[in-house]
Coordinates of all heavy atoms in Angstrom, one line a residue:
A3 N 16.1 -14.1 15.8 CA 15.8 -12.8 15.5 C 15.9 -12.5 13.9 O 16.6 -13.2 13.2 CB 16.6 -11.7 16.2
I4 N 15.1 -11.6 13.4 CA 15.2 -11.2 12.0 C 14.9 -9.8 11.8 O 14.1 -9.2 12.5 CB 14.1 -12.2 11.3 CG1 14.2 -12.0 9.7 CG2 12.6 -11.8 11.8 CD1 13.2 -13.0 9.0
K5 N 15.7 -9.3 10.8 CA 15.5 -7.8 10.4 C 14.9 -7.8 9.1 O 15.3 -8.6 8.2 CB 16.8 -7.1 10.5 CG 16.7 -5.6 10.4 CD 18.0 -4.9 10.6 CE 17.7 -3.4 10.4 NZ 19.0 -2.6 10.4
I6 N 13.9 -7.0 8.9 CA 13.2 -7.1 7.6 C 13.0 -5.7 7.1 O 13.0 -4.6 7.8 CB 11.7 -7.7 7.6 CG1 10.8 -7.0 8.6 CG2 11.9 -9.1 8.0 CD1 9.3 -7.3 8.4
F7 N 12.8 -5.5 5.7 CA 12.3 -4.3 5.1 C 10.8 -4.6 4.7 O 10.5 -5.6 4.0 CB 13.1 -4.1 3.7 CG 12.5 -3.0 2.9 CD1 12.8 -1.6 3.1 CD2 11.7 -3.4 1.7 CE1 12.2 -0.7 2.3 CE2 11.2 -2.4 0.9 CZ 11.4 -1.0 1.2
S8 N 9.9 -3.7 5.0 CA 8.5 -3.8 4.7 C 8.0 -2.7 3.8 O 8.1 -1.5 4.3 CB 7.7 -4.0 6.0 OG 6.4 -4.4 5.7
P9 N 7.7 -2.9 2.7 CA 7.5 -1.8 1.7 C 6.2 -1.0 1.9 O 5.2 -1.4 2.3 CB 7.4 -2.5 0.3 CG 6.9 -3.8 0.8 CD 7.3 -4.2 2.0
A10 N 6.3 0.3 1.4 CA 5.2 1.1 1.2 C 4.4 0.5 0.0 O 5.0 -0.2 -0.8 CB 5.5 2.5 0.9
T11 N 3.1 0.8 -0.1 CA 2.3 0.3 -1.2 C 1.3 1.3 -1.7 O 0.9 2.2 -1.0 CB 1.4 -1.0 -0.6 OG1 0.9 -0.6 0.7 CG2 2.3 -2.2 -0.4
I12 N 0.9 1.1 -2.9 CA -0.2 2.0 -3.5 C -1.3 1.1 -3.6 O -1.3 0.1 -4.4 CB 0.3 2.5 -5.0 CG1 1.5 3.3 -4.8 CG2 -0.8 3.3 -5.5 CD1 2.1 3.7 -6.2
A13 N -2.4 1.5 -3.1 CA -3.7 0.8 -3.2 C -4.7 1.5 -4.1 O -4.5 2.7 -4.3 CB -4.4 0.6 -1.9
N14 N -5.6 0.8 -4.7 CA -6.6 1.3 -5.7 C -6.1 1.3 -7.1 O -6.7 0.7 -7.9 CB -7.2 2.6 -5.2 CG -7.9 2.5 -3.9 OD1 -8.2 1.4 -3.4 ND2 -8.1 3.6 -3.2
I15 N -4.9 2.0 -7.3 CA -4.5 2.1 -8.7 C -5.6 2.6 -9.7 O -5.9 1.9 -10.6 CB -3.7 0.9 -9.1 CG1 -2.8 0.4 -8.0 CG2 -2.8 1.2 -10.3 CD1 -1.9 -0.7 -8.2
S16 N -6.1 3.8 -9.5 CA -7.1 4.3 -10.4 C -8.4 3.5 -10.4 O -9.3 3.5 -9.6 CB -6.6 4.6 -11.8 OG -5.6 5.6 -11.7
C17 N -8.5 2.6 -11.5 CA -9.8 1.9 -11.6 C -10.1 0.7 -10.7 O -11.2 0.2 -10.5 CB -9.9 1.3 -13.1 SG -8.3 0.4 -13.5
G18 N -9.0 0.4 -9.9 CA -9.1 -0.9 -9.0 C -9.4 -0.5 -7.5 O -8.9 -1.1 -6.7
F19 N -10.5 0.3 -7.3 CA -10.8 0.8 -6.0 C -11.0 -0.4 -5.1 O -11.8 -1.3 -5.4 CB -12.0 1.6 -6.0 CG -12.5 2.2 -4.7 CD1 -11.6 3.0 -3.9 CD2 -13.6 1.8 -4.1 CE1 -12.0 3.4 -2.7 CE2 -14.1 2.2 -2.9 CZ -13.2 3.0 -2.1
D20 N -10.3 -0.5 -4.0 CA -10.4 -1.6 -3.0 C -10.0 -3.0 -3.4 O -10.1 -3.9 -2.6 CB -11.9 -1.6 -2.5 CG -12.1 -0.7 -1.2 OD1 -11.1 -0.1 -0.8 OD2 -13.2 -0.8 -0.7
V21 N -9.5 -3.1 -4.7 CA -9.1 -4.4 -5.1 C -7.6 -4.5 -5.6 O -7.0 -5.6 -5.5 CB -10.1 -5.0 -6.1 CG1 -11.5 -5.3 -5.5 CG2 -10.2 -4.3 -7.4
L22 N -7.2 -3.5 -6.2 CA -5.8 -3.6 -6.8 C -4.7 -2.8 -5.8 O -5.1 -1.9 -5.1 CB -5.7 -2.9 -8.1 CG -6.4 -3.6 -9.3 CD1 -6.3 -2.8 -10.5 CD2 -5.9 -5.0 -9.5
G23 N -3.5 -3.3 -5.9 CA -2.5 -2.6 -5.2 C -1.1 -3.0 -5.7 O -1.0 -4.1 -6.5
L24 N -0.1 -2.3 -5.3 CA 1.3 -2.6 -5.8 C 2.3 -2.2 -4.7 O 2.0 -1.3 -3.9 CB 1.7 -2.0 -7.1 CG 1.9 -0.5 -7.2 CD1 3.3 0.0 -6.8 CD2 1.6 -0.1 -8.7
A25 N 3.4 -3.0 -4.7 CA 4.5 -2.7 -3.6 C 5.6 -1.9 -4.3 O 5.9 -2.0 -5.4 CB 5.0 -4.0 -3.1
L26 N 6.2 -1.0 -3.4 CA 7.3 -0.2 -3.8 C 8.6 -0.7 -3.3 O 8.7 -1.3 -2.3 CB 7.0 1.3 -3.3 CG 5.8 2.0 -3.9 CD1 5.5 3.2 -3.1 CD2 5.8 2.3 -5.3
D27 N 9.7 -0.2 -4.1 CA 11.0 -0.5 -3.6 C 11.7 0.5 -2.8 O 12.4 0.3 -1.9 CB 11.9 -0.7 -4.8 CG 12.1 -2.1 -5.2 OD1 12.1 -3.0 -4.3 OD2 12.1 -2.4 -6.4
A28 N 11.4 1.8 -3.2 CA 12.3 2.9 -2.6 C 11.8 3.4 -1.2 O 12.6 4.1 -0.7 CB 12.2 4.0 -3.7
V29 N 10.6 3.0 -0.8 CA 10.2 3.5 0.5 C 9.6 2.3 1.2 O 9.0 1.5 0.7 CB 8.9 4.5 0.4 CG1 8.8 5.4 1.6 CG2 8.8 5.1 -1.0
G30 N 10.0 2.3 2.6 CA 9.5 1.3 3.4 C 10.1 1.4 4.7 O 10.9 2.2 5.1
D31 N 9.4 0.6 5.7 CA 9.9 0.6 7.1 C 10.9 -0.5 7.3 O 10.9 -1.5 6.6 CB 8.7 0.3 8.1 CG 7.7 1.5 8.1 OD1 8.0 2.6 7.6 OD2 6.5 1.2 8.6
T32 N 11.7 -0.4 8.4 CA 12.5 -1.6 8.7 C 12.0 -2.1 10.1 O 11.5 -1.3 11.0 CB 14.0 -1.3 8.7 OG1 14.3 -0.3 9.6 CG2 14.5 -1.0 7.4
M33 N 12.1 -3.4 10.4 CA 11.6 -3.9 11.7 C 12.5 -5.0 12.2 O 13.0 -5.7 11.3 CB 10.2 -4.5 11.5 CG 9.1 -3.5 11.0 SD 7.6 -4.3 10.5 CE 6.8 -4.6 12.2
T34 N 12.7 -5.1 13.4 CA 13.5 -6.3 14.0 C 12.5 -7.1 14.9 O 11.9 -6.4 15.8 CB 14.7 -5.8 14.8 OG1 15.5 -5.0 13.9 CG2 15.5 -7.0 15.2
I35 N 12.4 -8.3 14.6 CA 11.5 -9.2 15.4 C 12.3 -10.2 16.1 O 13.1 -10.9 15.4 CB 10.4 -9.8 14.6 CG1 9.4 -8.6 14.2 CG2 9.5 -10.7 15.3 CD1 9.7 -8.0 12.9
T36 N 12.1 -10.4 17.4 CA 12.9 -11.3 18.3 C 11.9 -12.2 18.9 O 11.1 -11.9 19.4 CB 13.7 -10.6 19.3 OG1 14.5 -9.6 18.6 CG2 14.7 -11.5 20.0
K37 N 12.3 -13.6 18.8 CA 11.5 -14.6 19.4 C 12.0 -14.6 20.9 O 13.2 -14.7 21.2 CB 12.0 -15.9 18.8 CG 10.9 -17.1 18.9 CD 11.4 -18.2 18.0 CE 10.5 -19.4 18.0 NZ 11.2 -20.5 17.3
V38 N 11.0 -14.6 21.8 CA 11.3 -14.6 23.3 C 10.4 -15.7 23.9 O 9.4 -16.1 23.4 CB 11.1 -13.3 23.9 CG1 12.1 -12.3 23.4 CG2 9.6 -12.8 23.8
A39 N 10.7 -16.0 25.2 CA 10.0 -17.1 25.9 C 8.7 -16.6 26.4 O 7.7 -17.3 26.4 CB 10.8 -17.6 27.1
D40 N 8.7 -15.3 26.8 CA 7.3 -14.7 27.3 C 6.3 -14.6 26.3 O 6.5 -14.1 25.2 CB 7.6 -13.3 27.9 CG 8.4 -13.3 29.2 OD1 8.6 -14.3 29.8 OD2 8.9 -12.2 29.6
K41 N 5.1 -15.1 26.8 CA 4.0 -15.1 25.8 C 3.5 -13.8 25.4 O 3.8 -12.8 26.1 CB 2.8 -15.8 26.5 CG 1.8 -16.5 25.6 CD 0.8 -17.4 26.5 CE -0.4 -17.7 25.6 NZ 0.0 -18.7 24.4
G42 N 3.1 -13.6 24.1 CA 2.5 -12.4 23.6 C 3.3 -11.5 22.8 O 4.4 -12.1 22.3
I43 N 2.9 -10.3 22.5 CA 3.7 -9.4 21.7 C 4.1 -8.2 22.5 O 3.2 -7.5 23.0 CB 2.9 -9.0 20.4 CG1 2.3 -10.1 19.6 CG2 3.6 -8.0 19.6 CD1 3.3 -10.7 18.6
R44 N 5.3 -7.7 22.4 CA 5.6 -6.5 23.0 C 6.5 -5.6 22.0 O 7.3 -6.1 21.3 CB 6.7 -6.7 24.2 CG 5.9 -6.9 25.5 CD 6.8 -7.5 26.6 NE 7.4 -8.8 26.0 CZ 6.7 -9.9 26.0 NH1 5.5 -10.0 26.5 NH2 7.3 -11.1 25.6
I45 N 5.9 -4.4 21.9 CA 6.6 -3.5 21.0 C 7.6 -2.7 21.9 O 7.2 -2.0 22.8 CB 5.6 -2.5 20.4 CG1 4.3 -3.2 20.0 CG2 6.2 -1.6 19.3 CD1 4.1 -3.3 18.5
T46 N 8.9 -3.0 21.6 CA 9.9 -2.4 22.6 C 10.4 -1.1 22.2 O 10.9 -0.3 22.9 CB 11.0 -3.5 22.6 OG1 11.5 -3.8 21.3 CG2 10.7 -4.7 23.4
K47 N 10.3 -0.7 20.9 CA 10.9 0.5 20.4 C 10.3 1.0 19.1 O 10.1 0.1 18.1 CB 12.5 0.3 20.2 CG 13.2 1.6 20.0 CD 14.7 1.2 20.1 CE 15.6 2.3 19.6 NZ 16.9 1.8 19.3
I48 N 10.0 2.3 18.9 CA 9.5 2.8 17.6 C 10.3 4.0 17.4 O 10.3 5.0 18.2 CB 8.0 3.1 17.6 CG1 7.2 1.9 17.9 CG2 7.6 3.7 16.2 CD1 5.7 2.1 18.0
T49 N 11.0 4.1 16.2 CA 11.7 5.3 15.9 C 11.2 5.9 14.6 O 10.5 5.2 13.9 CB 13.3 5.0 15.7 OG1 13.4 4.0 14.7 CG2 13.9 4.5 17.0
G50 N 11.3 7.2 14.4 CA 10.8 7.8 13.1 C 9.5 8.4 13.3 O 9.2 9.3 12.5
Q51 N 8.7 7.9 14.3 CA 7.4 8.5 14.4 C 6.8 8.2 15.7 O 7.2 7.2 16.4 CB 6.6 7.8 13.4 CG 6.0 8.9 12.4 CD 5.2 8.1 11.2 OE1 4.1 7.9 11.3 NE2 5.9 7.8 10.3
D52 N 5.9 9.0 16.2 CA 5.3 8.8 17.5 C 4.0 8.0 17.3 O 2.9 8.5 16.9 CB 4.9 10.3 18.0 CG 4.5 10.2 19.4 OD1 4.9 9.3 20.1 OD2 3.8 11.3 20.0
L53 N 4.2 6.6 17.6 CA 3.0 5.7 17.5 C 2.9 5.0 18.9 O 3.9 4.8 19.5 CB 3.2 4.8 16.4 CG 3.1 5.4 15.0 CD1 3.6 4.6 13.8 CD2 1.6 5.8 14.7
P54 N 1.8 4.4 19.1 CA 1.6 3.7 20.3 C 2.5 2.4 20.5 O 2.6 1.6 19.6 CB 0.1 3.3 20.4 CG -0.4 3.6 19.1 CD 0.5 4.5 18.4
L55 N 3.1 2.3 21.7 CA 3.9 1.0 22.0 C 2.9 -0.1 22.5 O 3.3 -1.2 22.4 CB 4.9 1.4 23.1 CG 6.1 2.1 22.7 CD1 7.0 2.6 23.9 CD2 7.1 1.3 21.8
D56 N 1.8 0.3 23.0 CA 0.8 -0.7 23.5 C 0.4 -1.6 22.3 O 0.0 -1.1 21.3 CB -0.4 0.0 24.0 CG -1.5 -0.9 24.5 OD1 -1.4 -2.1 24.2 OD2 -2.4 -0.4 25.1
A57 N 0.7 -2.9 22.5 CA 0.5 -3.9 21.3 C -0.9 -3.8 20.8 O -1.2 -4.1 19.7 CB 0.9 -5.3 21.8
L58 N -1.8 -3.5 21.7 CA -3.3 -3.5 21.3 C -3.7 -2.3 20.5 O -4.8 -2.2 19.9 CB -4.2 -3.8 22.5 CG -4.1 -5.1 23.2 CD1 -4.9 -5.1 24.4 CD2 -4.4 -6.3 22.2
K59 N -2.8 -1.3 20.6 CA -3.1 -0.1 19.9 C -2.2 0.1 18.7 O -2.4 1.1 18.0 CB -2.9 1.1 20.8 CG -3.9 1.2 22.0 CD -4.0 2.5 22.7 CE -4.9 2.5 23.8 NZ -4.6 3.0 25.0
N60 N -1.3 -0.7 18.5 CA -0.4 -0.6 17.4 C -0.7 -1.9 16.4 O -0.9 -2.9 16.7 CB 1.0 -0.8 17.7 CG 2.1 -0.4 16.7 OD1 2.1 -1.1 15.6 ND2 2.8 0.6 16.9
V61 N -0.9 -1.5 15.1 CA -1.3 -2.5 14.1 C -0.4 -3.7 14.0 O -0.8 -4.8 13.8 CB -1.4 -1.9 12.6 CG1 -2.4 -0.7 12.7 CG2 -0.1 -1.4 12.1
A62 N 1.0 -3.4 14.3 CA 1.9 -4.5 14.3 C 1.6 -5.5 15.4 O 1.6 -6.8 15.3 CB 3.4 -4.1 14.5
G63 N 1.2 -5.0 16.6 CA 0.8 -5.9 17.8 C -0.5 -6.7 17.4 O -0.5 -7.8 17.7
V64 N -1.5 -5.9 17.0 CA -2.8 -6.5 16.7 C -2.7 -7.7 15.6 O -3.2 -8.7 15.8 CB -3.8 -5.5 16.3 CG1 -5.1 -6.1 15.8 CG2 -4.1 -4.5 17.4
A65 N -1.9 -7.3 14.6 CA -1.8 -8.4 13.5 C -0.9 -9.6 14.1 O -1.3 -10.8 13.9 CB -1.0 -7.8 12.4
G66 N 0.2 -9.3 14.8 CA 0.9 -10.3 15.4 C 0.1 -11.3 16.3 O 0.3 -12.5 16.4

Side-chain angles (χ1 to χ4, degrees):
I4 186 171
K5 190 169 176 193
I6 61 160
F7 169 82
S8 190
T11 45
I12 300 174
N14 299 338
I15 317 187
S16 298
C17 51
F19 181 64
D20 269 1
V21 298
L22 290 176
L24 68 83
L26 298 168
D27 261 325
V29 206
D31 295 344
T32 58
M33 301 170 77
T34 304
I35 290 89
T36 309
K37 203 171 172 186
V38 294
D40 287 347
K41 210 174 164 59
I43 304 274
R44 270 163 306 282
I45 318 252
T46 50
K47 191 173 165 190
I48 301 174
T49 53
Q51 247 172 87
D52 192 17
L53 287 166
L55 284 169
D56 180 346
L58 294 176
K59 293 192 177 134
N60 193 301
V61 299
V64 170

